[in-house]
Amino acid sequence: MKAGVPAVQIAVSRRGQIVYSEAFGVTDKESATAATPRSVQLVASITKQFTAAAILRLAERGALTLDDRIEKFLPELDTKGATITLRHLLTHTSGITAPPPNPQSQLTREQLITFLNGQPLAFTPGTDWSYSNFGYMLLGHVIESVTGSSFADFIHSELALPLGLLDTGVCGTNNLPVPDGYSFVQGTCIRKPAPNMSVPFAAGALCSTASDLARWSYLLANGRVLLPASYATMTTPTRLANDTVVGYGLGLYLPLSVVGHPAVYHDGLIAGFNSFLVYFPADDISVAVISNAFPLPMDTQSSLLIGLAVAKAALAAP
């Protein structure tokens, strides 16, 4: 707060119960609107674990398999003769990379696929790892093709509503706002208009609160979202064609440890917001932090570093 970051929201859950939930600062500097634990914020790439869970739920129903080729669902996508599966997209091993689109533009399925058809693959699918928002954007269109409903409606009806995550969903849908964040430019904090949600889409368009995210981590890990076998798949490190193991599963980073404890996590970075969500399975503790600023004046104000400090305190508590 001393650095001028407008708002920070923090939540901690233990065994599925929220034991700490607080917000500091303001969500709108111009109107001095105080941040509260229910101030809905854009969580960016934490969206990816919701998208991965949605794909796995469809796999549980037999609507698809992770090893289905992408053209089964998006036949207009040019795979350049390569075999690109849903698993490749989920694990960032598809080779699909490209310059980011204009965040304020409307990006339809047709426009996205036409754009990607004009881009070369960075590598043969399965042989390397490169973080790809485009892969998850395509997965959102797969969900829509399979279900016949919008990605936003599927997340709302299949995940958020049944789980009681009332402040979670695609920004601008189901009575959720499209919040503006802030960016630091040459040391000055300026308002950053929210992106058009068709751009981050299934890779980063979810809004939520820290307390909803902390509860989500617990529910996801404890059989309330997926069958145990599906969650095990989600939390299995990716193995490349040359047997190199990458510390990423399906929408989750899988480090050896976080602050000395086994953990799964994801962060989110988008102009105006940054977020961090970590779950410690052996301790049954999750920590979520959301801030309405990015880029930041210094890395020390990031949600990730705040989250690690909070995690140390939570893990040390009796």
Side-chain angles (χ1 to χ4, degrees):
M1 304 306 300
K2 290 178 181 177
V5 174
V8 178
Q9 193 181 69
I10 301 170
V12 180
S13 78
R14 176 178 279 120
R15 294 183 289 278
Q17 299 298 312
I18 299 295
V19 296
Y20 180 85
S21 179
E22 191 55 88
F24 307 90
V26 294
T27 56
D28 187 304
K29 291 181 64 177
E30 291 71 20
S31 64
T33 303
T36 76
R38 291 200 66 185
S39 298
V40 174
Q41 309 288 343
L42 183 57
V43 301
S45 284
I46 290 175
T47 299
K48 290 180 174 68
Q49 56 190 270
F50 287 81
T51 301
I55 290 288
L56 284 165
R57 180 170 282 196
L58 292 173
E60 289 176 353
R61 295 176 181 170
L64 53 78
T65 75
L66 300 190
D67 295 314
D68 282 339
R69 296 171 67 130
I70 183 63
E71 59 264 36
K72 178 178 179 180
F73 311 100
L74 306 178
E76 67 271 41
L77 181 68
D78 180 7
T79 62
K80 319 297 191 293
T83 297
I84 302 176
T85 67
L86 302 186
R87 191 185 302 273
H88 289 140
L89 299 174
L90 287 161
T91 58
H92 300 298
T93 59
S94 68
I96 296 175
T97 61
N102 180 346
Q104 302 301 325
S105 64
Q106 178 73 25
L107 188 63
T108 66
R109 165 175 163 157
E110 180 183 14
Q111 290 169 330
L112 170 66
I113 293 177
T114 297
F115 172 68
L116 292 178
N117 283 348
Q119 305 294 319
L121 291 179
F123 50 82
T124 300
T127 65
D128 205 347
W129 189 91
S130 181
Y131 192 87
S132 174
N133 285 316
F134 287 106
Y136 272 78
M137 292 158 70
L138 291 173
L139 287 168
H141 290 299
V142 169
I143 291 167
E144 293 188 339
S145 291
V146 171
T147 66
S149 65
S150 70
F151 173 73
D153 285 346
F154 189 82
I155 294 296
H156 177 71
S157 62
E158 287 280 339
L159 299 177
L161 193 60
L163 296 172
L165 305 177
L166 302 183
D167 296 320
T168 298
V170 172
C171 303
T173 69
N174 298 295
N175 298 315
L176 294 173
V178 181
D180 287 349
Y182 294 84
S183 293
F184 283 81
V185 179
Q186 296 180 339
T188 301
C189 185
I190 62 171
R191 192 179 189 94
K192 190 72 177 179
N196 186 307
M197 291 304 149
S198 67
V199 177
F201 189 44
L206 255 62
C207 277
S208 190
T209 61
S211 56
D212 263 14
L213 291 182
R215 289 189 59 239
W216 159 260
S217 272
Y218 167 82
L219 296 169
L220 181 62
N222 286 276
R224 296 286 300 278
V225 180
L226 299 170
L227 297 173
S230 295
Y231 185 68
T233 298
M234 194 172 181
T235 55
T236 297
T238 298
R239 187 176 294 274
L240 302 179
N242 65 359
D243 278 341
T244 299
V245 175
V246 178
Y248 196 94
L250 310 186
L252 288 170
Y253 283 102
L254 308 172
L256 294 177
S257 70
V258 173
V259 295
H261 293 245
V264 299
Y265 81 93
H266 215 291
D267 58 349
L269 301 173
I270 197 167
F273 295 91
N274 75 101
S275 57
F276 178 65
L277 176 60
V278 61
Y279 177 70
F280 299 93
D283 307 277
D284 211 356
I285 286 174
S286 44
V287 174
V289 182
I290 309 172
S291 170
N292 62 344
F294 190 80
L296 294 159
M298 292 194 307
D299 288 343
T300 51
Q301 281 90 45
S302 73
S303 290
L304 186 152
L305 291 183
I306 293 170
L308 293 180
V310 172
K312 288 179 182 179
L315 292 164

